[in-house]
Amino acid sequence: MPDRILLLGGTTEARRLAGELSSEYDVVSSLAGRVSDLRLPVGESRQGGFGGVAGLTQWLAEQGIDAVVDATHPFAATMTAHAVAATTTLNLPLLVLRRPGWQQQPEDTWHRTPDAPAAATLLPKLGRRVFLTIGRQGLAAFADTGLWTLARCVDPPDPVPTWCELLLDRGPYNLAGELELLRNRQIDVLVTKNSGGDMTAAKLTAARELGIPVVLIERPPLPPGIDVAHTTGEVRAWLADRTG
């Protein structure tokens, strides 16, 4: 029987990896299920939480999982912490797949902050019309800035905020569309998370071309001592060394 792999996913990289591994391993993809119209990966999948560390530990043992690959969003710190705790308890191999973060270009004006509250505190010094592209979680940190704010989300927050204008949209986004949006809404400061990847980089290019400052929320640090990969090829090599 092929080795059974739990792939914690929901990202573009996780869907790609599920397809690449399906011919060699018995892969189960786990999706948080926080957005509507989920893009399901190839093969077996499950949706929803595990019930904390205890629930994940029990599920891994019951399912006979041989290794775990965490390909969740770079800001899914809680899920990663749970994966570390559960795999440590069961002595299972764990690999975290993280796409590289965005790199600042010479023409960029970036202000790096550790979290959303720090970003909100900085905003009044930089502009008056804000474009928030941080998803629906964490919006509340920006409720009291006193600035006109456009927040782009895939699904509406619950409850729906009354202090900002919501733009419900799903990428990928292109440069022409992002330039048009920034110009039409007279945006003078952009807030985003350092998620990395190509799908959302168009907004950074648009901000660069228009001379708009960017407040970049940095990723939470990974737990120490865990294996990290940056490409699906590195994941396959890691699995080949630890399974079979």
Side-chain angles (χ1 to χ4, degrees):
M1 293 292 292
D3 290 286
R4 190 160 168 80
I5 309 299
L6 173 64
L7 178 56
L8 301 171
T11 59
T12 301
E13 292 82 5
R15 288 190 295 273
R16 183 184 306 125
L17 187 59
E20 293 180 8
L21 297 179
S22 61
S23 62
E24 302 176 58
Y25 301 97
D26 181 10
V27 179
V28 183
S29 295
S30 178
L31 310 174
R34 289 177 176 170
V35 298
S36 61
D37 191 25
L38 280 172
R39 300 171 182 176
L40 295 177
V42 172
E44 182 181 348
S45 63
R46 64 174 304 281
Q47 296 182 28
F50 291 93
V53 174
L56 176 57
T57 303
Q58 180 179 351
W59 189 92
L60 292 171
E62 291 176 348
Q63 293 291 320
I65 298 298
D66 297 296
V68 178
V69 177
D70 175 1
T72 55
H73 192 276
F75 284 80
T78 299
M79 187 67 251
T80 297
H82 288 180
V84 170
T87 54
T88 298
T89 297
L90 297 173
N91 196 28
L92 290 178
L94 168 68
L95 178 69
V96 175
L97 172 62
R98 285 291 182 270
R99 67 183 74 148
W102 289 311
Q103 299 299 313
Q104 186 171 0
Q105 303 302 309
E107 301 84 1
D108 289 325
T109 303
W110 285 7
H111 301 267
R112 299 176 183 269
T113 62
D115 52 35
T121 299
L122 183 60
L123 278 181
K125 303 175 184 177
L126 300 176
R128 290 292 177 265
R129 295 181 65 85
V130 180
F131 184 28
L132 282 180
T133 62
I134 63 169
R136 59 181 175 173
Q137 297 186 27
L139 288 181
F142 299 88
D144 298 322
T145 64
L147 306 175
W148 184 91
T149 301
L150 174 68
R152 182 165 67 192
C153 309
V154 174
D155 293 307
D158 184 18
V160 175
T162 58
W163 52 269
C164 66
E165 178 181 339
L166 282 179
L167 174 61
L168 300 182
D169 195 12
R170 182 196 292 269
Y173 308 104
N174 59 52
L175 178 58
E178 298 292 67
L179 285 168
E180 181 181 9
L181 176 62
L182 294 177
R183 287 173 174 145
N184 287 348
R185 300 302 182 95
Q186 299 179 339
I187 300 299
D188 58 11
V189 59
L190 167 68
V191 182
T192 192
K193 294 177 176 179
N194 192 4
S195 302
D198 296 330
M199 190 177 82
T200 51
K203 62 190 173 189
L204 297 176
T205 304
R208 182 184 309 130
E209 292 191 7
L210 298 177
I212 294 173
V214 176
V215 178
L216 193 72
I217 301 173
E218 293 290 12
R219 302 172 177 189
L222 288 170
I226 61 175
D227 292 336
V228 180
H230 299 292
T231 67
T232 57
E234 291 176 4
V235 174
R236 294 198 305 273
W238 181 89
L239 283 172
D241 286 341
R242 288 162 179 80
T243 59

